Structure formats: structure tokens, C-alpha cells
Amino acid sequence: MVAFLRLALRRVAMMPVMILGIALLVFVVLQFSPVDPAFNALGESATPEARAAFAEANGLNDPLPVRYFHFLGQLLHLDLGMTVPPSQPVADRITAAFPLTLQLTLLGLLLAVVLAVLSGVVGAMYRDRWPDQLFRVVSMAGVAIPSFWLGVLLIQQFALNTRIFPTGGYTNPADSFSGWLTTMALPAISLALPVSASLARLVRTSMVAELDRDYVRTARGNGLPPLLVIRSVLRNALVTPLTVLGIKVGYMLSGAVVIEAIFDLPGMGKLILEGVTGGDVALVQGTVLTIAIAFLVVNVIVDLLYLLVNPRIRTV
């Protein structure tokens, strides 16, 4: 336990440094945007003098390092700036939109992990037989299908043709849980299936390798219940998929942005599209930074889970 806490604190202690790096990257990249903040804030009718005064008042004429440290100071106070008129705090817009993206990502992740574990375990238990061959074909097809294309197909089949699910929109779970589940089902499936197909192949490969080990043959020879053997094998087999899970969660966070646009969900994807189409640098900067930090936090959590599942690494 002491070794685990030491490694966990080491992971957490690195987070501020990585957040500073993320903030620097996002800030520098968006400085090359051709959008003029003064033009967006004051409008087309603003005079050159008014734009120059706006730039001076907001530090736009300061050197890049000065603007970066000013940006960090605002970030420490959770101040991400203001949107273009009608002006609203970017932090308030993100606070309203991020929970939906988080809901979609977590729901898709839960579905992806359940499908991956079930299909991977069944494929390993029936190795080279028809269930294994079926799951391998399905997983290869799932890896090849982009999530946004799958979303369009699901809308065509289950929303337009059969009208089982709505084509888009969002229902707050506080208002109606069944309505929320109905509106989130197709987006979550679109996000989860490609990820579950990729993870299922890893789970199946890891399970096959573990089932061939001596301790499994010994456990079976001693008459241990099959479910107990599978549980022990699965615990060891999940070590490798966990190393990839953090990257997959990052993929799902970024993929959720696209899926939200397809299903008209008012999440972070809508904010990014609004910022890009409206030339709102502050809104784009805030949303991208929030998603990047969320990706970092998720990877730290996955690292901690990896330490729990694989005690051997605690001695490293």
C-alpha cells in the first residue's frame, strides 16, 4: 500500500507541470489564428482607433510571453475570458456544456468496456471455434467503421426508418431518465462500438495467453470452479488492455465532439463549432483546454487503476 501511495502521489504531482505544458501549447497554437479579437468584439463598424484602443486595453500588443503569463493568471482564477458579443463568460458556457460531453463519454466507455470484456472472454473460451470466429469478424468490422459514419447509419435505421429513437436532441436526466437514455442511446453506441471492437481484440489475446499458463492448468487440475478460474485469469488479462484504455478514453472525448454535432447535442462539440465558425478564439481556447485537461485527468486515473490491477509495477 505504501508503494502504491508513493507512485500515486508521483503521478498526481506531475499533473500541474503537464497542465502548464498543455496551456502553453493551446495558447501558442491559437496565437496564429487570423481572427482579430478587436474586430469580433467591436464589430465591423468599429474605427481603427477603437480597435487599437481595445487591443491596448486587453494586452493584445504585449509580447507573447507576457500574454501567456497573463493567460496563466486568468486560468488560476478559472477565468477563460469572454465570448464574442453577446459577451458571456467562457467558463460559464463550458460549465453548462461539459457535463453532457462527460455523460456521453462515460456512457460510451461503460458500454465499450462491457462489450469488450464479454466478447473477449467468450472468444478466448471458445478459441478457434465459431463464437471466436464470429467475434473476430465483428471486431475487425467495428475497428474499420468510423464512429461518425456509424452514427449516420444508426440515425437512418433506428431514427428515420423505425423511429425507435429520436434523430437528435437532449433530455436532462433530472427531467426524465428514460428520455435521457433514449436521446443518449444512439450517440453512446456510435462512440462505443469502434472502441469496444479494438479493446475486445486485446482482451481476447490477453485471455488466450493467460489461459495457456501453468497456474491455470494447475487450478483446473485441483478442481477449482470454472468461474473462479476465469475471474483470476481475467484480472491478469486486463493489465494489457488497461494500458490502452487511457488513450481510448481520449479518443472517445474527442470523438464525442463529432458525435454531438451529428446528434445535435448541446455539449462541448457545439461550443467548438460555434467558436470556430464565429471566430471566437477565447471560446475555442477554453473548450480545447478543458478537453485536454480532462484527457490528462482520465489518464492519471487509468494509471492508478493499472497500479491496482498489476501489483508488480508498484516495486518499480
Side-chain angles (χ1 to χ4, degrees), residues 288-310:
V288 171
L289 184 62
T290 302
I291 292 174
I293 292 176
F295 177 42
L296 172 63
V297 172
V298 167
N299 272 272
V300 172
I301 294 174
V302 171
D303 284 344
L304 298 181
L305 291 176
Y306 182 59
L307 294 176
L308 287 173
V309 173
N310 188 14

Side-chain angles (χ1 to χ4, degrees), residues 52-179:
F54 178 89
E56 184 65 29
N58 290 273
L60 300 178
N61 297 328
D62 293 336
L64 189 63
V66 175
R67 281 184 283 159
Y68 174 64
F69 283 109
H70 178 67
F71 169 68
L72 287 182
Q74 290 181 310
L75 189 60
L76 289 175
H77 293 89
L78 301 180
D79 181 7
L80 297 173
M82 304 291 290
T83 64
V84 298
S87 296
Q88 291 178 297
V90 173
D92 291 349
R93 299 289 306 276
I94 291 175
T95 301
F98 186 70
L100 190 148
T101 301
L102 188 61
Q103 291 171 26
L104 177 58
T105 302
L106 293 179
L107 187 61
L109 179 64
L110 176 63
L111 182 60
V113 170
V114 170
L115 291 176
V117 171
L118 288 177
S119 58
V121 169
V122 171
M125 294 298 297
Y126 293 92
R127 187 184 345 177
D128 295 330
R129 284 180 276 179
W130 73 264
D132 183 28
Q133 299 293 342
L134 176 62
F135 281 124
R136 289 167 73 177
V137 171
V138 172
S139 65
M140 285 189 289
V143 171
I145 297 177
S147 59
F148 63 88
W149 187 64
L150 179 60
V152 173
L153 292 181
L154 291 176
I155 291 175
Q156 178 68 37
Q157 181 62 36
F158 296 103
L160 297 178
N161 292 344
T162 61
R163 300 184 182 277
I164 299 175
F165 297 100
T167 57
Y170 175 71
T171 300
N172 194 305
D175 298 331
S176 172
F177 181 78
S178 60

Side-chain angles (χ1 to χ4, degrees), residues 22 117 154 170 226 238 240 256 259 274 290:
I22 291 171
V117 171
L154 291 176
Y170 175 71
L238 287 180
T240 300
I259 294 298
E274 179 183 330
T290 302

